[in-house]
Amino acid sequence: MSKRNKISLSVIRRLPKYYRFLNHLISQDINRISSSKLSEITGLTAPQIRQDLNCFGGFGQQGYGYNVAELKNQVASIIGINKSISAILIGIGNIGKTILTHLQFESMGFKINGVFDNDSLKIGANIAGFQIMDVNYLLDFCSINNPTVAIICLPMSVVGDIVKKLVNNGVRCFWNFSHYDISVEHSNTIVENVHLQDSLLTLCYRVNNQEN
Amino acid sequence: MSKRNKISLSVIRRLPKYYRFLNHLISQDINRISSSKLSEITGLTAPQIRQDLNCFGGFGQQGYGYNVAELKNQVASIIGINKSISAILIGIGNIGKTILTHLQFESMGFKINGVFDNDSLKIGANIAGFQIMDVNYLLDFCSINNPTVAIICLPMSVVGDIVKKLVNNGVRCFWNFSHYDISVEHSNTIVENVHLQDSLLTLCYRVNNQEN
């Protein structure tokens, strides 16, 4: 895997935002954009945008701005969308099922190679082209296939145990939809969390404490 | 609505995390916890925890630590979970449907009062006890019921137009699952975003650029 100079997580987290806005500009047939216009539509400052993109080599031209398609391709390449990271998904409840059927993983650098649940009524069934496997087969599957990422859509009662087993079997990258904080228990992991309840409770606080 | 001294968004975003861990401690019958132990399980430093909770008045006792149930109730009250913020949900695709059926809004300070879609096959159907209404009725509904929050589960092609109408009709708080950045277009809004694609692409970058 390629290595870059240490880039801060806040810069990294803005890359998908640039990618999203650049795709939107392309869908509007906009070929060229200044950093000040890009600032206007993204809500980031123009110096911030230039500084972010300079972390990866620049791409803009003085007096011209950015070529939208080129910049989009550069950002895609920086993120690694052209790669195919092997992933498994564990837990086919509401959230797991929605993620599996709703997101286009292959256009975002991932390939789902296995889907697991512990419910005998679900095991063997087919969802979005994936045959659900018994979670008892998970570790054997990992030994054979070495998935890089596990997408965790499990309830709190079982998540700690399964994540521990995965880490012990070499999985250290997680997309986590559970309430469990993987990186607290397992420091040598890469985790992106989607804590829906945390997000909603943050909104609750902010609505109840509006400034104006 | 109550007003507090200005508290930073990073402190606010940690409140749901405390709430989550405190609930977990209660489920394990743990009644009392030191800030150092709380630090260990949350992954935050003990001074950080004390400083966060001091923003709202403290709650710990020197040499005793925190009473878990009391602290949980205090945090719940700070967040405003006992309130009932009126909310509507717009867009009953995969994500909208999952949110509606999966999350316990009433235990998180919200009450869903209306659910909308533009699909004639969905309008009138019942999901999780809600009868889906025609999105054409949205503004009339807002005039009559004055919802505080709109949960946005719409595709990019229609989201800008609908959000603009909502803002013009007095809705200024959003839980946003769309790709659209509401706060860029509408500065006087309170928005919590759940950008699943951004989260996945951030993971993609981090997996492709692992430090070790």
Side-chain angles (χ1 to χ4, degrees):
Chain A
M1 278 172 214
S2 70
K3 291 200 177 191
R4 277 180 222 282
N5 293 331
K6 182 82 181 163
I7 290 166
S8 82
L9 205 51
S10 49
V11 175
I12 294 167
R13 288 198 198 288
R14 282 193 290 272
L15 289 174
K17 184 167 179 168
Y18 293 123
Y19 184 67
R20 182 154 45 87
F21 277 101
L22 290 165
N23 272 310
H24 187 55
L25 288 171
I26 288 171
S27 75
Q28 294 178 309
D29 290 327
I30 295 170
N31 303 319
R32 175 182 157 181
I33 193 163
S34 64
S35 54
S36 64
K37 182 70 188 165
L38 198 54
S39 157
E40 199 178 293
I41 62 164
T42 59
L44 302 165
T45 67
Q48 175 80 85
I49 292 169
R50 285 192 294 268
Q51 200 176 318
D52 284 353
L53 296 177
N54 278 340
C55 293
F56 304 97
F59 318 121
Q61 280 174 42
Q62 193 78 34
Y64 175 88
Y66 297 100
N67 176 305
V68 174
E70 263 178 35
L71 183 57
K72 183 214 126 181
N73 290 338
Q74 294 279 8
V75 172
S77 161
I78 291 164
I79 293 172
I81 288 170
N82 51 333
K83 307 281 175 65
S84 182
I85 299 166
S86 161
I88 54 176
L89 188 148
I90 309 161
I92 302 292
N94 274 312
I95 293 277
K97 194 173 161 185
T98 297
I99 291 162
L100 197 61
T101 52
H102 182 69
L103 293 178
Q104 298 178 316
F105 285 95
E106 304 209 357
S107 69
M108 289 188 278
F110 292 85
K111 182 167 185 349
I112 306 282
N113 287 317
V115 174
F116 297 86
D117 203 281
N118 68 351
D119 181 346
S120 60
L121 294 174
K122 291 178 183 167
I123 294 163
N126 196 301
I127 291 188
F130 297 98
Q131 192 172 37
I132 301 172
M133 290 180 271
D134 188 334
V135 77
N136 287 323
Y137 176 59
L138 180 62
L139 299 187
D140 285 343
F141 181 93
C142 290
S143 302
I144 298 165
N145 298 285
N146 296 307
T148 304
V149 167
I151 302 167
I152 302 294
C153 307
L154 292 163
M156 201 64 181
S157 54
V158 298
V159 62
D161 184 46
I162 289 179
V163 166
K164 191 175 177 183
K165 286 179 182 163
L166 286 168
V167 170
N168 289 341
N169 278 267
V171 178
R172 50 181 296 273
C173 305
F174 295 90
W175 200 26
N176 178 37
F177 287 79
S178 81
H179 287 185
Y180 180 70
D181 274 74
I182 294 170
S183 54
V184 173
E185 290 282 330
H186 305 282
S187 58
N188 191 28
T189 50
I190 291 174
V191 185
E192 282 295 310
N193 292 302
V194 181
H195 287 315
L196 292 180
Q197 181 177 310
D198 285 18
S199 172
L200 188 58
L201 291 179
T202 301
L203 183 64
C204 181
Y205 177 94
R206 294 179 66 196
V207 171
N208 286 320
N209 294 275
Q210 294 179 59
E211 297 271 305
N212 42 37
Chain B
M1 280 173 211
S2 70
K3 291 200 179 194
R4 276 181 221 282
N5 293 331
K6 181 82 181 163
I7 289 165
S8 81
L9 204 51
S10 49
V11 176
I12 295 166
R13 289 198 197 290
R14 282 193 291 271
L15 289 173
K17 184 168 179 166
Y18 292 124
Y19 184 68
R20 183 153 45 88
F21 277 101
L22 291 164
N23 272 310
H24 187 55
L25 289 170
I26 287 170
S27 75
Q28 294 178 308
D29 289 328
I30 296 169
N31 303 318
R32 173 181 157 182
I33 192 162
S34 64
S35 54
S36 63
K37 182 70 188 162
L38 197 54
S39 155
E40 200 178 293
I41 62 164
T42 58
L44 302 165
T45 66
Q48 175 80 82
I49 292 170
R50 285 193 293 269
Q51 200 178 318
D52 284 353
L53 296 176
N54 278 339
C55 293
F56 306 97
F59 319 119
Q61 280 174 42
Q62 193 78 31
Y64 175 88
Y66 298 99
N67 177 304
V68 174
E70 263 179 33
L71 184 57
K72 183 214 125 178
N73 290 338
Q74 294 279 8
V75 173
S77 160
I78 291 164
I79 293 172
I81 288 170
N82 51 331
K83 307 283 176 62
S84 182
I85 298 166
S86 161
I88 53 175
L89 187 149
I90 309 160
I92 302 291
N94 273 311
I95 293 278
K97 195 173 161 186
T98 297
I99 292 163
L100 197 61
T101 52
H102 181 69
L103 294 178
Q104 298 178 317
F105 285 95
E106 304 208 357
S107 69
M108 289 189 276
F110 292 86
K111 184 167 184 347
I112 305 282
N113 287 317
V115 174
F116 298 86
D117 204 282
N118 69 351
D119 181 346
S120 59
L121 294 174
K122 293 178 182 167
I123 293 163
N126 196 300
I127 291 189
F130 297 97
Q131 192 173 38
I132 300 171
M133 290 182 271
D134 188 334
V135 77
N136 287 324
Y137 175 59
L138 180 61
L139 299 186
D140 284 344
F141 181 93
C142 289
S143 302
I144 298 164
N145 298 285
N146 295 307
T148 304
V149 168
I151 302 167
I152 303 294
C153 307
L154 293 163
M156 201 64 182
S157 54
V158 298
V159 61
D161 184 47
I162 289 180
V163 166
K164 190 174 177 183
K165 285 179 181 162
L166 286 168
V167 170
N168 289 341
N169 278 268
V171 178
R172 50 182 295 275
C173 305
F174 295 90
W175 200 25
N176 178 36
F177 287 79
S178 80
H179 287 186
Y180 179 70
D181 275 73
I182 294 171
S183 54
V184 174
E185 290 282 328
H186 306 282
S187 59
N188 191 28
T189 50
I190 291 174
V191 185
E192 282 295 311
N193 292 302
V194 181
H195 287 315
L196 292 180
Q197 182 178 310
D198 285 18
S199 173
L200 188 58
L201 291 180
T202 301
L203 183 64
C204 181
Y205 177 92
R206 294 179 66 197
V207 171
N208 286 320
N209 294 275
Q210 295 180 57
E211 296 271 305
N212 41 40

